[in-house]
Amino acid sequence: MLTHQQLIPCPTCTFLNDPSCSVCQICNSPLIDDTDSEKTDLVNKQTTVKVKTPKKIRSKVLLLFILTISIASISKVFPTHIVTHSLFSRNVLNERGDIKLYNTMEEVPNVPNGIADYGGAICFAALKRDGMNTAIENAHPKFKLRYIEPINGNPGCTTGIQMLLDRNLTIAQNSRPLTEAELDVAELRGFKLESVPIAIDGVVFYVNKSLGIKSLSIEEIQDIYRGKITNWQELGGNDLPIVPISLDPQIDSILRLLMKTKDAPMIDDRVVITRDYTSAIRQTSTTPGAISYASAAILRGQQSIKPIALALDKNSPAIPGLLADGSVNHVGFEKNFYPLTRPLSIVFRRDNTPSEQAAVAYINLILSKEGQKIVKSAGMIPIHYDR
């Protein structure tokens, strides 16, 4: 087993790489081993006077820079909320003062008795899989969570928010910004919608395992789903028709993120529409030439498909969303090396009802230190507390 001293730290993201690597496994930056670094230092010393900054100071400056960028980027998407990486600022996250940071789920106050119905973005299934619902019910046994399938249509952000507007849900799990139309409907019905960010998620594209494709740029994937590229030979692969698979673009948020549009994007008629991530994974694994997508948290550990690395453009390095061992590229997502990430949020009605109380309690439970640890173990990036 390699020791810590034998691993090569990346000069860009600080990830410790195997000495056989020439580029970083996380951010694709060139690696310099210790001997090369020493030789370079000797040359530099002959021509320049080097001013050394203590490692502790460099680390603090780097951390402060990352925090500033992270907070600024999230605040642009959710401007009404104060988002922190740790307890460096305030303990209150909203104007009303009822959404706060707690250490444990047991500390969260005003958790009501009864059932809270939830639905919406299906990537949140990873939280339930990794024990979020169980931890909440262990801390507050009389507070029960119940998933509700949509009566009309497939599960997703849009149907979840519509069910919330119709008072068929207490909590809508969401992976996109609210639309003006949704906010207007809420106002007409006498309440407001509030959206609280709880995590950052990475979107990963994947292909059938028989394909030799290792990476694509965002533009190339856009062209695939728009029907401009129809054969893998055009992308350096075999002479094989591309079979793009997607969730319903009227409901799902990932293609909106990919195409940079707030509304349902225009996609090619050949795109195969499927119900959910599980169906897409199964269909891709059995269809030569297939490509699809999912939350990194959903794909973590999947063996039946092949995740591909993603590049911002043709001139940028391709960054893996999932590492070779199937784990999530937390460093790549957290430090914005990966080009396709999104905030996840909880949406609820401000209507002065027991449903509002239940939703606020649910958010506080997820944002607790205990809840954010589950967020990380599920394959998402926690946005509060030290990671």
Side-chain angles (χ1 to χ4, degrees):
M1 180 179 294
L2 293 169
T3 65
H4 185 281
Q5 289 77 12
Q6 291 174 301
L7 298 173
I8 302 177
C10 173
T12 302
C13 73
T14 71
F15 182 77
L16 297 177
N17 292 267
D18 187 280
S20 63
C21 297
S22 59
V23 296
C24 178
Q25 296 170 271
I26 299 293
C27 67
N28 261 355
S29 297
L31 298 177
I32 303 175
D33 64 27
D34 293 338
T35 56
D36 288 341
S37 180
E38 289 173 3
K39 291 175 183 178
T40 303
D41 286 346
L42 287 174
V43 173
N44 289 340
K45 285 177 180 177
Q46 294 175 3
T47 55
T48 62
V49 177
K50 296 179 66 177
V51 178
K52 295 186 177 180
T53 304
K55 290 184 178 179
K56 290 185 178 179
I57 295 177
R58 290 203 303 268
S59 298
K60 289 181 179 179
V61 171
L62 178 60
L63 177 60
L64 181 60
F65 174 76
I66 293 168
L67 285 175
T68 304
I69 296 300
S70 299
I71 293 169
S73 62
I74 296 174
S75 298
K76 288 180 182 179
V77 183
F78 298 98
T80 60
H81 292 280
I82 299 169
V83 179
T84 64
H85 171 271
S86 187
L87 297 179
F88 295 145
S89 58
R90 305 193 314 182
N91 195 40
V92 180
L93 301 181
N94 67 332
E95 292 180 3
R96 290 205 181 188
D98 55 359
I99 296 174
K100 303 179 181 181
L101 300 180
Y102 298 90
N103 283 314
T104 68
M105 291 186 177
E106 287 186 356
E107 292 177 14
V108 175
N110 303 318
V111 179
N113 299 338
I115 298 173
D117 293 331
Y118 71 94
I122 54 181
C123 62
F124 278 77
L127 293 182
K128 182 180 179 181
R129 176 199 65 201
D130 276 56
M132 183 68 77
N133 291 14
T134 300
I136 289 173
E137 293 188 12
N138 286 341
H140 300 274
K142 295 183 179 180
F143 182 60
K144 304 293 184 182
L145 295 166
R146 179 172 63 187
Y147 175 76
I148 302 295
E149 282 277 354
I151 299 173
N152 299 312
N154 294 327
C157 294
T158 302
T159 49
I161 294 170
Q162 185 60 53
M163 292 170 71
L164 184 71
L165 290 168
D166 293 339
R167 296 185 182 276
N168 294 322
L169 289 180
T170 304
I171 299 157
Q173 297 170 328
N174 188 37
S175 58
R176 63 165 173 79
L178 295 172
T179 67
E180 291 297 327
E182 290 163 344
L183 295 171
D184 289 344
V185 169
E187 188 174 354
L188 287 172
R189 295 184 181 183
F191 55 83
K192 292 183 178 181
L193 291 182
E194 187 163 341
S195 178
V196 181
I198 57 93
I200 299 295
D201 179 42
V203 174
V204 175
F205 281 81
Y206 59 91
V207 296
N208 183 278
K209 292 182 75 172
S210 65
L211 286 172
I213 300 295
K214 294 182 179 180
S215 64
L216 292 171
S217 70
I218 287 180
E219 182 181 357
E220 288 169 333
I221 295 177
Q222 289 173 339
D223 287 345
I224 286 174
Y225 279 88
R226 287 171 176 154
K228 295 181 180 180
I229 298 177
T230 59
N231 195 296
W232 287 113
Q233 197 170 36
E234 299 175 66
L235 297 170
N238 297 328
D239 184 7
L240 186 67
I242 298 175
V243 183
I245 297 173
S246 167
L247 275 62
D248 184 350
Q250 299 295 327
I251 297 172
D252 185 54
S253 64
I254 288 182
L255 286 187
R256 299 184 191 204
L257 179 67
L258 175 73
M259 303 295 190
K260 301 177 181 179
T261 176
K262 294 180 180 179
D263 303 314
M266 298 294 293
I267 58 176
D268 188 61
D269 292 339
R270 298 178 307 104
V271 177
V272 178
I273 306 299
T274 189
R275 182 182 186 279
D276 52 35
Y277 291 142
T278 301
S279 302
I281 291 169
R282 288 174 180 168
Q283 200 157 352
T284 302
S285 67
T286 58
T287 306
I291 180 173
S292 192
Y293 57 82
S295 159
I298 296 293
L299 292 177
R300 179 171 60 98
Q302 279 286 339
Q303 300 295 320
S304 60
I305 45 83
K306 178 183 177 182
I308 59 173
L310 193 60
L312 181 62
D313 52 51
K314 293 180 180 179
N315 297 318
S316 301
I319 310 299
L322 295 175
L323 303 180
D325 62 358
S327 63
V328 172
N329 186 351
H330 275 96
V331 175
F333 295 164
E334 183 179 333
K335 298 190 177 182
N336 290 325
F337 296 127
Y338 191 75
L340 204 61
T341 59
R342 56 184 179 169
L344 301 181
S345 64
I346 302 298
V347 184
F348 66 101
R349 295 185 303 273
R350 282 292 189 184
D351 55 6
N352 297 314
T353 67
S355 290
E356 178 183 329
Q357 180 188 354
V360 169
Y362 178 71
I363 292 167
N364 283 331
L365 290 162
I366 292 181
L367 292 180
S368 69
K369 189 170 185 178
E370 183 180 352
Q372 291 284 282
K373 285 182 178 179
I374 297 174
V375 164
K376 184 173 183 178
S377 70
M380 302 167 183
I381 304 301
I383 59 175
H384 297 288
Y385 302 102
D386 294 327
R387 295 166 185 164

